[in-house]
Amino acid sequence: MLSSLGSKRFFSAAVNVTRILNKHNINPKPIPIFHNLSYENIYKKEISNGEKEIDNGTVAVSTGIFTGRSPKDKYFVSQEPSSSNLWWGDVNKPMDKSLFERLHKSVLDHYENDVKEIYICDAYAGANKKTAKKVRFITEYAWQHHFVRNMFIRPGDDECDYQNFEPDFTIINGCNVTNDNWEKDELNSEVFVGFNIEERTAIIGGTHYGGEMKKGIFSMMNYWLPLENIMSMHCSANVGKDGDSALFFGLSGTGKTTLSVDPERELIGDDQHGWDDDGVYNFEGGCYAKTSNLSRENEPMIYDAIKRDALLENVFLNENNEVDYFNTSITENGRVSYPIHHIDNYKKDLKAGHPENIFFLTCDAFGILPPISELTHDQALYYFLSGYTAKVAGTERGVTEPQATFSACFGAAFLTLHPTKYADLLKEKLEKHNTNVYLVNTGWSGGSYGVGERMSIKTTQACIDSVFTGEIKEVEKVEDNFFGFKVPKKLAKVDEHICQPSLSWEMIHDYDVTAQKLVGMFKENYTQFLDPNMTDYSKYGPQ
Ligand code: ATP
Ligand code: MN
C-alpha cells in the first residue's frame, strides 16, 4: 500500500515515521502511514474514504457534531517553567500531568489498536525562517491531513528532509477518543484539548473539528513568540504596491479574511501574524474563509479560491452534490480552507515591512460605532485590551438584542500569556514605527440589529481605501460624543449619515440611550485591567 502511493522518498519517509511513532510509543507495523501526501494523493484518499467531491472540484466534509472549537475543553499541564508564564483562568485551565499522561496514552492506544490509517503532516508555523516552528500533526483521516496541509506552511520539496525533521511541537489528533471519566477528572466534558508545553505535545480527543489544530498551534505561537519579544497577533495582513503593509485585527466574523483580500494589495495572510524587528509575517500558509452567504458578486476572490485542493467544511449540499452557501442549516460557521496561492495576488514570501496602518475590526450589532474612526496610540491600547465586538443574539425568535463580547487583544481565547504582555509589545511597536490605528465597524448602521442594517462590504472597503489613498488624513473630523475618537464627517464614497451614526438613527434619543448602554459595557469590562501594576488606559476610553 505504501509503495502504491509512489516514490522511494515517500517510502523512506514512512520508515522514518515508524521511528517517530515509536518515540510516541505507537507501534505502527500493521497500519499504513501516509506522510505529507501530495494534493493529488490526498484527493484520491479522500474519495476512497467516502468524502464527497462536488462540482467545483473540491471535496466537502462534515466535521460531525462539532462545527466549531470547544474552548471550554482546553487545558494546559500545570508544571514549571510554563506554569509561571501562563495566563491561568477560563481560557487556560490547569490539568494534572498524570491526567494528561493518561489521556495521552488513551490516544496512543487508539492509534495502535483502532485506526485504519495514519496521516502525518510536517509543516512550519511562521514565514520568518529565523523564528519558524516545526510542527507535526498526526491524524487518522485524510481530510484532516488535507486541512493541516492547507493551513500550515508547506515545506518546499528541497526542504523535505523528513529524516531530520525534529518537530518543535506535535499535535496528536485522537478525535474518536473520548474521556468517559471526565466528571471524576473534574473536566468540562468528554472532549479534551490538552497541551503539555514542556513535552511539546498536544492531544485532541472527542472532536473532529480541524480548527482545534489550527488554533492550537496559534496558542503555542502566542506563548513562544512574546517570550522572545516578538509580537504575535490575531489579525490578517496585506501590503500595497509601495510596500505599505496593513494589519486587520478582529474577533471571529468581523472581516479579517474578507477585507484582507484586495485586488490592489498583495495578501500576506488572513488570520495570524508575527511582528518582529524585520516587519510582519504570516504564521500560516493557507486561509480559512467563512462560506455563509458567500457570493461571487460580494467576495469574488474568495469565491474563486474555492477550487480543486480547497476543502469545504459543513456546507450544505443539495441532492446533486452542489453547494448552497445560502443554506446555513448545518451551521452558520461553514468554512473553506485553501492554500494561500489560491488568492492570485498573494505575497510569495508571506512577509512585509512594518505596518503603516492598523485596523481594529469590530462588528458592532448595536450600530453605535462609526464605520471608521481614528485612534491615538493610547486609545488604540484601550480598544486593543477591550477587544470589543457584538454578536447577533441566538436564533430564538423575537430576540433581537445584540450581545456584546469583549475579548482581550481581539483573541483572548488564543492568548497563553497575560493580555498586557501583548499590549506592551503593541505599544512599543506603534511608537517605534509611528503606525496609524483606525477602528472600523463592519457591523450595523442606521440602528441596532433588527432595525438598522449591516454595513455593506463596499462601504467598509471604501472606508479602508480612504486610509490607503490618504483621503482620511485630509477630511474634516468630529469628536465622537461618547467615545472621544475622531470621526470623518464624510468621505468621498461614504455619505455623511453613514460616517456619523448619530445622523442615521431615526430617533436621536434611541441612539443616545443605546450608546450610553454600550459605554457602560465597555467601562464594566475594563475594570479587569484596573490594576495598580498596569498602565491605566481607561481615561482614553468612553467616559
Ligand atoms: P474568523 O476569525 O472566524 O476567521 P474573520 O474575522 O476572518 O473571522 P470573516 O471570515 O472575514 O471574519 O467574516 C466576515 C463575514 O461577514 C463574511 O461572511 C462577510 O461576507 C460578512 N460581511 C458582511 N458585511 C461585511 C462588512 N461590511 N465587512 C466585512 N465583512 C462583512
Ligand atoms: Mn478568518
Side-chain angles (χ1 to χ4, degrees), residues 215 234 250-259 270-271 288-294 299 333 335 361 441-443 454-458 460:
K215 288 298 208 284
H234 189 215
L251 287 161
S252 185
T254 56
K256 292 184 297 300
T257 299
T258 300
L259 299 167
D270 82 326
D271 196 51
Y288 197 34
K290 283 181 185 292
T291 53
S292 120
N293 299 330
L294 179 64
E299 295 173 76
N333 193 34
R335 294 270 182 164
L361 308 176
N441 174 13
T442 64
R454 188 156 181 193
M455 209 86 62
S456 74
I457 296 177
K458 282 202 170 61
T460 301

PDB file of all heavy atoms in Angstrom, residues 215 234 250-259 270-271 288-294 299 333 335 361 441-443 454-458 460, ligand 1:
ATOM      1  N   LYS A 215      -5.900  26.532  15.629  1.00  0.00           N
ATOM      2  CA  LYS A 215      -5.807  27.487  16.711  1.00  0.00           C
ATOM      3  C   LYS A 215      -4.955  26.930  17.877  1.00  0.00           C
ATOM      4  O   LYS A 215      -4.471  27.694  18.700  1.00  0.00           O
ATOM      5  CB  LYS A 215      -7.206  27.899  17.189  1.00  0.00           C
ATOM      6  CG  LYS A 215      -7.945  28.822  16.176  1.00  0.00           C
ATOM      7  CD  LYS A 215      -7.237  30.128  15.941  1.00  0.00           C
ATOM      8  CE  LYS A 215      -8.052  31.344  15.539  1.00  0.00           C
ATOM      9  NZ  LYS A 215      -8.560  31.507  14.212  1.00  0.00           N
ATOM     10  N   HIS A 234      -3.670  38.165  16.362  1.00  0.00           N
ATOM     11  CA  HIS A 234      -4.828  37.588  15.685  1.00  0.00           C
ATOM     12  C   HIS A 234      -5.306  38.631  14.672  1.00  0.00           C
ATOM     13  O   HIS A 234      -6.191  39.441  14.976  1.00  0.00           O
ATOM     14  CB  HIS A 234      -5.920  37.283  16.719  1.00  0.00           C
ATOM     15  CG  HIS A 234      -7.070  36.497  16.163  1.00  0.00           C
ATOM     16  ND1 HIS A 234      -8.358  36.685  16.579  1.00  0.00           N
ATOM     17  CD2 HIS A 234      -7.105  35.515  15.239  1.00  0.00           C
ATOM     18  CE1 HIS A 234      -9.150  35.845  15.918  1.00  0.00           C
ATOM     19  NE2 HIS A 234      -8.415  35.128  15.105  1.00  0.00           N
ATOM     20  N   GLY A 250      -9.228  41.535  14.623  1.00  0.00           N
ATOM     21  CA  GLY A 250     -10.665  41.431  14.879  1.00  0.00           C
ATOM     22  C   GLY A 250     -11.041  40.042  15.340  1.00  0.00           C
ATOM     23  O   GLY A 250     -10.365  39.059  15.019  1.00  0.00           O
ATOM     24  N   LEU A 251     -12.105  39.978  16.094  1.00  0.00           N
ATOM     25  CA  LEU A 251     -12.622  38.683  16.552  1.00  0.00           C
ATOM     26  C   LEU A 251     -13.300  37.969  15.388  1.00  0.00           C
ATOM     27  O   LEU A 251     -13.435  38.528  14.293  1.00  0.00           O
ATOM     28  CB  LEU A 251     -13.590  38.912  17.720  1.00  0.00           C
ATOM     29  CG  LEU A 251     -12.850  39.304  19.004  1.00  0.00           C
ATOM     30  CD1 LEU A 251     -13.782  39.958  20.002  1.00  0.00           C
ATOM     31  CD2 LEU A 251     -12.184  38.075  19.615  1.00  0.00           C
ATOM     32  N   SER A 252     -13.750  36.765  15.651  1.00  0.00           N
ATOM     33  CA  SER A 252     -14.373  35.954  14.601  1.00  0.00           C
ATOM     34  C   SER A 252     -15.552  36.682  13.947  1.00  0.00           C
ATOM     35  O   SER A 252     -16.370  37.293  14.639  1.00  0.00           O
ATOM     36  CB  SER A 252     -14.853  34.638  15.205  1.00  0.00           C
ATOM     37  OG  SER A 252     -15.334  33.817  14.180  1.00  0.00           O
ATOM     38  N   GLY A 253     -15.604  36.642  12.636  1.00  0.00           N
ATOM     39  CA  GLY A 253     -16.749  37.188  11.909  1.00  0.00           C
ATOM     40  C   GLY A 253     -16.709  38.686  11.707  1.00  0.00           C
ATOM     41  O   GLY A 253     -17.661  39.281  11.194  1.00  0.00           O
ATOM     42  N   THR A 254     -15.607  39.337  12.090  1.00  0.00           N
ATOM     43  CA  THR A 254     -15.562  40.794  11.957  1.00  0.00           C
ATOM     44  C   THR A 254     -15.026  41.220  10.595  1.00  0.00           C
ATOM     45  O   THR A 254     -15.136  42.379  10.223  1.00  0.00           O
ATOM     46  CB  THR A 254     -14.698  41.435  13.068  1.00  0.00           C
ATOM     47  OG1 THR A 254     -13.389  40.855  13.019  1.00  0.00           O
ATOM     48  CG2 THR A 254     -15.311  41.189  14.449  1.00  0.00           C
ATOM     49  N   GLY A 255     -14.393  40.295   9.855  1.00  0.00           N
ATOM     50  CA  GLY A 255     -13.981  40.644   8.492  1.00  0.00           C
ATOM     51  C   GLY A 255     -12.493  40.521   8.176  1.00  0.00           C
ATOM     52  O   GLY A 255     -12.059  41.009   7.132  1.00  0.00           O
ATOM     53  N   LYS A 256     -11.717  39.881   9.036  1.00  0.00           N
ATOM     54  CA  LYS A 256     -10.277  39.750   8.763  1.00  0.00           C
ATOM     55  C   LYS A 256     -10.037  39.111   7.395  1.00  0.00           C
ATOM     56  O   LYS A 256      -9.295  39.633   6.575  1.00  0.00           O
ATOM     57  CB  LYS A 256      -9.580  38.882   9.837  1.00  0.00           C
ATOM     58  CG  LYS A 256      -9.525  39.503  11.213  1.00  0.00           C
ATOM     59  CD  LYS A 256      -8.735  38.645  12.191  1.00  0.00           C
ATOM     60  CE  LYS A 256      -9.344  37.278  12.454  1.00  0.00           C
ATOM     61  NZ  LYS A 256     -10.704  37.317  13.015  1.00  0.00           N
ATOM     62  N   THR A 257     -10.677  37.955   7.180  1.00  0.00           N
ATOM     63  CA  THR A 257     -10.449  37.232   5.929  1.00  0.00           C
ATOM     64  C   THR A 257     -11.043  38.006   4.750  1.00  0.00           C
ATOM     65  O   THR A 257     -10.384  38.219   3.731  1.00  0.00           O
ATOM     66  CB  THR A 257     -11.056  35.820   6.032  1.00  0.00           C
ATOM     67  OG1 THR A 257     -10.400  35.135   7.102  1.00  0.00           O
ATOM     68  CG2 THR A 257     -10.859  35.034   4.737  1.00  0.00           C
ATOM     69  N   THR A 258     -12.275  38.467   4.921  1.00  0.00           N
ATOM     70  CA  THR A 258     -12.981  39.161   3.840  1.00  0.00           C
ATOM     71  C   THR A 258     -12.231  40.411   3.378  1.00  0.00           C
ATOM     72  O   THR A 258     -12.083  40.652   2.184  1.00  0.00           O
ATOM     73  CB  THR A 258     -14.389  39.571   4.329  1.00  0.00           C
ATOM     74  OG1 THR A 258     -15.072  38.380   4.701  1.00  0.00           O
ATOM     75  CG2 THR A 258     -15.176  40.313   3.274  1.00  0.00           C
ATOM     76  N   LEU A 259     -11.765  41.221   4.333  1.00  0.00           N
ATOM     77  CA  LEU A 259     -11.224  42.532   3.972  1.00  0.00           C
ATOM     78  C   LEU A 259      -9.741  42.499   3.620  1.00  0.00           C
ATOM     79  O   LEU A 259      -9.218  43.458   3.049  1.00  0.00           O
ATOM     80  CB  LEU A 259     -11.484  43.532   5.107  1.00  0.00           C
ATOM     81  CG  LEU A 259     -12.979  43.739   5.415  1.00  0.00           C
ATOM     82  CD1 LEU A 259     -13.154  44.482   6.737  1.00  0.00           C
ATOM     83  CD2 LEU A 259     -13.678  44.487   4.275  1.00  0.00           C
ATOM     84  N   ASP A 270      -4.515  35.710   6.359  1.00  0.00           N
ATOM     85  CA  ASP A 270      -5.879  36.090   6.741  1.00  0.00           C
ATOM     86  C   ASP A 270      -6.204  35.926   8.224  1.00  0.00           C
ATOM     87  O   ASP A 270      -7.319  36.185   8.623  1.00  0.00           O
ATOM     88  CB  ASP A 270      -6.908  35.321   5.891  1.00  0.00           C
ATOM     89  CG  ASP A 270      -7.169  33.927   6.437  1.00  0.00           C
ATOM     90  OD1 ASP A 270      -6.217  33.312   6.974  1.00  0.00           O
ATOM     91  OD2 ASP A 270      -8.311  33.452   6.335  1.00  0.00           O
ATOM     92  N   ASP A 271      -5.220  35.483   9.057  1.00  0.00           N
ATOM     93  CA  ASP A 271      -5.645  35.205  10.442  1.00  0.00           C
ATOM     94  C   ASP A 271      -4.602  35.394  11.545  1.00  0.00           C
ATOM     95  O   ASP A 271      -4.949  35.807  12.636  1.00  0.00           O
ATOM     96  CB  ASP A 271      -6.184  33.780  10.504  1.00  0.00           C
ATOM     97  CG  ASP A 271      -6.990  33.492  11.752  1.00  0.00           C
ATOM     98  OD1 ASP A 271      -7.902  34.273  12.064  1.00  0.00           O
ATOM     99  OD2 ASP A 271      -6.700  32.493  12.440  1.00  0.00           O
ATOM    100  N   TYR A 288      -8.776  30.417   5.730  1.00  0.00           N
ATOM    101  CA  TYR A 288      -9.914  29.673   6.269  1.00  0.00           C
ATOM    102  C   TYR A 288     -11.100  30.630   6.260  1.00  0.00           C
ATOM    103  O   TYR A 288     -11.309  31.378   7.205  1.00  0.00           O
ATOM    104  CB  TYR A 288      -9.552  29.246   7.689  1.00  0.00           C
ATOM    105  CG  TYR A 288     -10.375  28.146   8.310  1.00  0.00           C
ATOM    106  CD1 TYR A 288     -10.884  27.101   7.550  1.00  0.00           C
ATOM    107  CD2 TYR A 288     -10.588  28.133   9.691  1.00  0.00           C
ATOM    108  CE1 TYR A 288     -11.594  26.077   8.159  1.00  0.00           C
ATOM    109  CE2 TYR A 288     -11.292  27.109  10.305  1.00  0.00           C
ATOM    110  CZ  TYR A 288     -11.793  26.087   9.530  1.00  0.00           C
ATOM    111  OH  TYR A 288     -12.498  25.068  10.132  1.00  0.00           O
ATOM    112  N   ALA A 289     -11.834  30.612   5.140  1.00  0.00           N
ATOM    113  CA  ALA A 289     -12.872  31.625   4.952  1.00  0.00           C
ATOM    114  C   ALA A 289     -14.244  31.084   5.327  1.00  0.00           C
ATOM    115  O   ALA A 289     -14.520  29.891   5.182  1.00  0.00           O
ATOM    116  CB  ALA A 289     -12.878  32.085   3.498  1.00  0.00           C
ATOM    117  N   LYS A 290     -15.095  31.987   5.776  1.00  0.00           N
ATOM    118  CA  LYS A 290     -16.482  31.613   6.047  1.00  0.00           C
ATOM    119  C   LYS A 290     -17.209  31.479   4.719  1.00  0.00           C
ATOM    120  O   LYS A 290     -16.990  32.278   3.813  1.00  0.00           O
ATOM    121  CB  LYS A 290     -17.177  32.722   6.840  1.00  0.00           C
ATOM    122  CG  LYS A 290     -16.819  32.745   8.293  1.00  0.00           C
ATOM    123  CD  LYS A 290     -17.587  33.876   8.968  1.00  0.00           C
ATOM    124  CE  LYS A 290     -17.182  34.023  10.416  1.00  0.00           C
ATOM    125  NZ  LYS A 290     -17.589  32.899  11.250  1.00  0.00           N
ATOM    126  N   THR A 291     -18.108  30.497   4.643  1.00  0.00           N
ATOM    127  CA  THR A 291     -18.841  30.322   3.388  1.00  0.00           C
ATOM    128  C   THR A 291     -20.275  30.822   3.483  1.00  0.00           C
ATOM    129  O   THR A 291     -20.961  30.890   2.461  1.00  0.00           O
ATOM    130  CB  THR A 291     -18.874  28.836   2.971  1.00  0.00           C
ATOM    131  OG1 THR A 291     -19.373  28.082   4.080  1.00  0.00           O
ATOM    132  CG2 THR A 291     -17.491  28.345   2.587  1.00  0.00           C
ATOM    133  N   SER A 292     -20.722  31.190   4.689  1.00  0.00           N
ATOM    134  CA  SER A 292     -22.128  31.569   4.822  1.00  0.00           C
ATOM    135  C   SER A 292     -22.438  32.805   3.955  1.00  0.00           C
ATOM    136  O   SER A 292     -21.739  33.827   4.038  1.00  0.00           O
ATOM    137  CB  SER A 292     -22.471  31.768   6.301  1.00  0.00           C
ATOM    138  OG  SER A 292     -22.914  33.043   6.565  1.00  0.00           O
ATOM    139  N   ASN A 293     -23.428  32.681   3.105  1.00  0.00           N
ATOM    140  CA  ASN A 293     -23.859  33.750   2.190  1.00  0.00           C
ATOM    141  C   ASN A 293     -22.772  34.225   1.236  1.00  0.00           C
ATOM    142  O   ASN A 293     -22.822  35.366   0.761  1.00  0.00           O
ATOM    143  CB  ASN A 293     -24.398  34.963   2.973  1.00  0.00           C
ATOM    144  CG  ASN A 293     -25.598  34.583   3.800  1.00  0.00           C
ATOM    145  OD1 ASN A 293     -26.358  33.688   3.430  1.00  0.00           O
ATOM    146  ND2 ASN A 293     -25.762  35.232   4.930  1.00  0.00           N
ATOM    147  N   LEU A 294     -21.795  33.381   0.980  1.00  0.00           N
ATOM    148  CA  LEU A 294     -20.704  33.781   0.090  1.00  0.00           C
ATOM    149  C   LEU A 294     -21.202  33.890  -1.354  1.00  0.00           C
ATOM    150  O   LEU A 294     -21.870  32.982  -1.849  1.00  0.00           O
ATOM    151  CB  LEU A 294     -19.583  32.732   0.177  1.00  0.00           C
ATOM    152  CG  LEU A 294     -18.364  32.953  -0.707  1.00  0.00           C
ATOM    153  CD1 LEU A 294     -17.620  34.222  -0.306  1.00  0.00           C
ATOM    154  CD2 LEU A 294     -17.419  31.755  -0.603  1.00  0.00           C
ATOM    155  N   GLU A 299     -17.730  38.820  -2.857  1.00  0.00           N
ATOM    156  CA  GLU A 299     -16.368  38.418  -2.496  1.00  0.00           C
ATOM    157  C   GLU A 299     -15.761  37.544  -3.598  1.00  0.00           C
ATOM    158  O   GLU A 299     -15.570  36.346  -3.419  1.00  0.00           O
ATOM    159  CB  GLU A 299     -16.396  37.681  -1.153  1.00  0.00           C
ATOM    160  CG  GLU A 299     -16.845  38.590  -0.008  1.00  0.00           C
ATOM    161  CD  GLU A 299     -17.041  37.849   1.305  1.00  0.00           C
ATOM    162  OE1 GLU A 299     -16.035  37.515   1.936  1.00  0.00           O
ATOM    163  OE2 GLU A 299     -18.198  37.595   1.665  1.00  0.00           O
ATOM    164  N   ASN A 333     -21.294  28.499  10.706  1.00  0.00           N
ATOM    165  CA  ASN A 333     -19.830  28.506  10.619  1.00  0.00           C
ATOM    166  C   ASN A 333     -19.314  27.561   9.527  1.00  0.00           C
ATOM    167  O   ASN A 333     -18.307  26.899   9.716  1.00  0.00           O
ATOM    168  CB  ASN A 333     -19.240  28.147  11.994  1.00  0.00           C
ATOM    169  CG  ASN A 333     -17.744  28.431  12.079  1.00  0.00           C
ATOM    170  OD1 ASN A 333     -17.242  29.376  11.476  1.00  0.00           O
ATOM    171  ND2 ASN A 333     -17.019  27.597  12.822  1.00  0.00           N
ATOM    172  N   ARG A 335     -17.208  26.569   6.418  1.00  0.00           N
ATOM    173  CA  ARG A 335     -15.883  27.127   6.118  1.00  0.00           C
ATOM    174  C   ARG A 335     -15.277  26.470   4.899  1.00  0.00           C
ATOM    175  O   ARG A 335     -15.642  25.364   4.519  1.00  0.00           O
ATOM    176  CB  ARG A 335     -14.928  26.845   7.291  1.00  0.00           C
ATOM    177  CG  ARG A 335     -15.277  27.550   8.565  1.00  0.00           C
ATOM    178  CD  ARG A 335     -14.604  28.901   8.636  1.00  0.00           C
ATOM    179  NE  ARG A 335     -14.912  29.553   9.897  1.00  0.00           N
ATOM    180  CZ  ARG A 335     -14.228  30.595  10.367  1.00  0.00           C
ATOM    181  NH1 ARG A 335     -13.216  31.096   9.696  1.00  0.00           N
ATOM    182  NH2 ARG A 335     -14.566  31.151  11.505  1.00  0.00           N
ATOM    183  N   LEU A 361     -11.034  45.754  13.631  1.00  0.00           N
ATOM    184  CA  LEU A 361     -12.371  45.489  13.100  1.00  0.00           C
ATOM    185  C   LEU A 361     -13.300  45.084  14.229  1.00  0.00           C
ATOM    186  O   LEU A 361     -12.928  44.308  15.110  1.00  0.00           O
ATOM    187  CB  LEU A 361     -12.321  44.359  12.067  1.00  0.00           C
ATOM    188  CG  LEU A 361     -11.310  44.504  10.937  1.00  0.00           C
ATOM    189  CD1 LEU A 361     -11.318  43.259  10.048  1.00  0.00           C
ATOM    190  CD2 LEU A 361     -11.609  45.754  10.106  1.00  0.00           C
ATOM    191  N   ASN A 441     -16.011  49.742  12.114  1.00  0.00           N
ATOM    192  CA  ASN A 441     -17.206  48.968  12.442  1.00  0.00           C
ATOM    193  C   ASN A 441     -17.749  48.313  11.169  1.00  0.00           C
ATOM    194  O   ASN A 441     -18.251  48.996  10.279  1.00  0.00           O
ATOM    195  CB  ASN A 441     -18.259  49.908  13.067  1.00  0.00           C
ATOM    196  CG  ASN A 441     -19.583  49.190  13.299  1.00  0.00           C
ATOM    197  OD1 ASN A 441     -19.656  47.949  13.220  1.00  0.00           O
ATOM    198  ND2 ASN A 441     -20.635  49.959  13.582  1.00  0.00           N
ATOM    199  N   THR A 442     -17.623  46.985  11.111  1.00  0.00           N
ATOM    200  CA  THR A 442     -18.155  46.252   9.953  1.00  0.00           C
ATOM    201  C   THR A 442     -19.576  45.752  10.246  1.00  0.00           C
ATOM    202  O   THR A 442     -20.121  44.942   9.504  1.00  0.00           O
ATOM    203  CB  THR A 442     -17.261  45.047   9.595  1.00  0.00           C
ATOM    204  OG1 THR A 442     -17.292  44.109  10.688  1.00  0.00           O
ATOM    205  CG2 THR A 442     -15.823  45.455   9.339  1.00  0.00           C
ATOM    206  N   GLY A 443     -20.133  46.251  11.343  1.00  0.00           N
ATOM    207  CA  GLY A 443     -21.456  45.779  11.765  1.00  0.00           C
ATOM    208  C   GLY A 443     -22.590  46.706  11.332  1.00  0.00           C
ATOM    209  O   GLY A 443     -22.627  47.157  10.186  1.00  0.00           O
ATOM    210  N   ARG A 454     -26.668  45.690   8.274  1.00  0.00           N
ATOM    211  CA  ARG A 454     -25.215  45.549   8.321  1.00  0.00           C
ATOM    212  C   ARG A 454     -24.602  46.394   7.206  1.00  0.00           C
ATOM    213  O   ARG A 454     -25.105  46.445   6.085  1.00  0.00           O
ATOM    214  CB  ARG A 454     -24.799  44.081   8.157  1.00  0.00           C
ATOM    215  CG  ARG A 454     -23.306  43.922   8.412  1.00  0.00           C
ATOM    216  CD  ARG A 454     -22.859  42.558   8.830  1.00  0.00           C
ATOM    217  NE  ARG A 454     -21.415  42.588   9.063  1.00  0.00           N
ATOM    218  CZ  ARG A 454     -20.654  41.524   9.208  1.00  0.00           C
ATOM    219  NH1 ARG A 454     -21.202  40.323   9.185  1.00  0.00           N
ATOM    220  NH2 ARG A 454     -19.346  41.637   9.423  1.00  0.00           N
ATOM    221  N   MET A 455     -23.524  47.051   7.567  1.00  0.00           N
ATOM    222  CA  MET A 455     -22.756  47.872   6.628  1.00  0.00           C
ATOM    223  C   MET A 455     -22.414  47.013   5.412  1.00  0.00           C
ATOM    224  O   MET A 455     -22.036  45.850   5.578  1.00  0.00           O
ATOM    225  CB  MET A 455     -21.442  48.208   7.341  1.00  0.00           C
ATOM    226  CG  MET A 455     -20.797  49.466   6.972  1.00  0.00           C
ATOM    227  SD  MET A 455     -21.442  50.840   7.943  1.00  0.00           S
ATOM    228  CE  MET A 455     -21.015  50.427   9.635  1.00  0.00           C
ATOM    229  N   SER A 456     -22.517  47.534   4.231  1.00  0.00           N
ATOM    230  CA  SER A 456     -22.156  46.700   3.078  1.00  0.00           C
ATOM    231  C   SER A 456     -20.640  46.544   3.027  1.00  0.00           C
ATOM    232  O   SER A 456     -19.895  47.403   3.527  1.00  0.00           O
ATOM    233  CB  SER A 456     -22.657  47.336   1.784  1.00  0.00           C
ATOM    234  OG  SER A 456     -21.852  48.450   1.466  1.00  0.00           O
ATOM    235  N   ILE A 457     -20.198  45.451   2.437  1.00  0.00           N
ATOM    236  CA  ILE A 457     -18.752  45.240   2.307  1.00  0.00           C
ATOM    237  C   ILE A 457     -18.154  46.400   1.513  1.00  0.00           C
ATOM    238  O   ILE A 457     -17.064  46.883   1.825  1.00  0.00           O
ATOM    239  CB  ILE A 457     -18.470  43.862   1.656  1.00  0.00           C
ATOM    240  CG1 ILE A 457     -18.971  42.735   2.575  1.00  0.00           C
ATOM    241  CG2 ILE A 457     -16.978  43.680   1.364  1.00  0.00           C
ATOM    242  CD1 ILE A 457     -18.817  41.325   2.027  1.00  0.00           C
ATOM    243  N   LYS A 458     -18.879  46.893   0.529  1.00  0.00           N
ATOM    244  CA  LYS A 458     -18.385  48.014  -0.295  1.00  0.00           C
ATOM    245  C   LYS A 458     -18.150  49.262   0.547  1.00  0.00           C
ATOM    246  O   LYS A 458     -17.160  49.957   0.370  1.00  0.00           O
ATOM    247  CB  LYS A 458     -19.393  48.328  -1.406  1.00  0.00           C
ATOM    248  CG  LYS A 458     -19.292  47.345  -2.543  1.00  0.00           C
ATOM    249  CD  LYS A 458     -19.852  47.908  -3.852  1.00  0.00           C
ATOM    250  CE  LYS A 458     -19.510  46.979  -4.999  1.00  0.00           C
ATOM    251  NZ  LYS A 458     -20.083  45.622  -4.833  1.00  0.00           N
ATOM    252  N   THR A 460     -17.506  49.370   3.782  1.00  0.00           N
ATOM    253  CA  THR A 460     -16.330  49.137   4.626  1.00  0.00           C
ATOM    254  C   THR A 460     -15.055  49.255   3.796  1.00  0.00           C
ATOM    255  O   THR A 460     -14.085  49.896   4.229  1.00  0.00           O
ATOM    256  CB  THR A 460     -16.421  47.751   5.294  1.00  0.00           C
ATOM    257  OG1 THR A 460     -17.605  47.707   6.082  1.00  0.00           O
ATOM    258  CG2 THR A 460     -15.223  47.492   6.182  1.00  0.00           C
TER     259      THR A 460
HETATM  260  P1  ATP B   1     -12.535  34.277  11.815  1.00  0.00           P
HETATM  261  O1  ATP B   1     -11.572  34.753  12.865  1.00  0.00           O
HETATM  262  O2  ATP B   1     -13.621  33.420  12.390  1.00  0.00           O
HETATM  263  O3  ATP B   1     -11.849  33.657  10.622  1.00  0.00           O
HETATM  264  P2  ATP B   1     -12.896  36.750  10.269  1.00  0.00           P
HETATM  265  O4  ATP B   1     -12.580  37.970  11.065  1.00  0.00           O
HETATM  266  O5  ATP B   1     -11.888  36.286   9.289  1.00  0.00           O
HETATM  267  O6  ATP B   1     -13.343  35.579  11.281  1.00  0.00           O
HETATM  268  P3  ATP B   1     -14.641  36.805   8.014  1.00  0.00           P
HETATM  269  O7  ATP B   1     -14.451  35.372   7.665  1.00  0.00           O
HETATM  270  O8  ATP B   1     -13.993  37.812   7.137  1.00  0.00           O
HETATM  271  O9  ATP B   1     -14.238  37.058   9.533  1.00  0.00           O
HETATM  272  O10 ATP B   1     -16.195  37.038   8.125  1.00  0.00           O
HETATM  273  C1  ATP B   1     -16.861  38.229   7.890  1.00  0.00           C
HETATM  274  C2  ATP B   1     -18.263  37.847   7.408  1.00  0.00           C
HETATM  275  O11 ATP B   1     -19.107  38.953   7.414  1.00  0.00           O
HETATM  276  C3  ATP B   1     -18.191  37.327   5.986  1.00  0.00           C
HETATM  277  O12 ATP B   1     -19.104  36.276   5.879  1.00  0.00           O
HETATM  278  C4  ATP B   1     -18.632  38.546   5.166  1.00  0.00           C
HETATM  279  O13 ATP B   1     -19.281  38.188   3.983  1.00  0.00           O
HETATM  280  C5  ATP B   1     -19.621  39.211   6.125  1.00  0.00           C
HETATM  281  N1  ATP B   1     -19.762  40.681   5.993  1.00  0.00           N
HETATM  282  C6  ATP B   1     -20.906  41.330   5.834  1.00  0.00           C
HETATM  283  N2  ATP B   1     -20.719  42.664   5.808  1.00  0.00           N
HETATM  284  C7  ATP B   1     -19.395  42.872   5.980  1.00  0.00           C
HETATM  285  C8  ATP B   1     -18.584  44.042   6.041  1.00  0.00           C
HETATM  286  N3  ATP B   1     -19.106  45.259   5.961  1.00  0.00           N
HETATM  287  N4  ATP B   1     -17.262  43.883   6.199  1.00  0.00           N
HETATM  288  C9  ATP B   1     -16.721  42.651   6.327  1.00  0.00           C
HETATM  289  N5  ATP B   1     -17.451  41.507   6.270  1.00  0.00           N
HETATM  290  C10 ATP B   1     -18.772  41.606   6.101  1.00  0.00           C
END
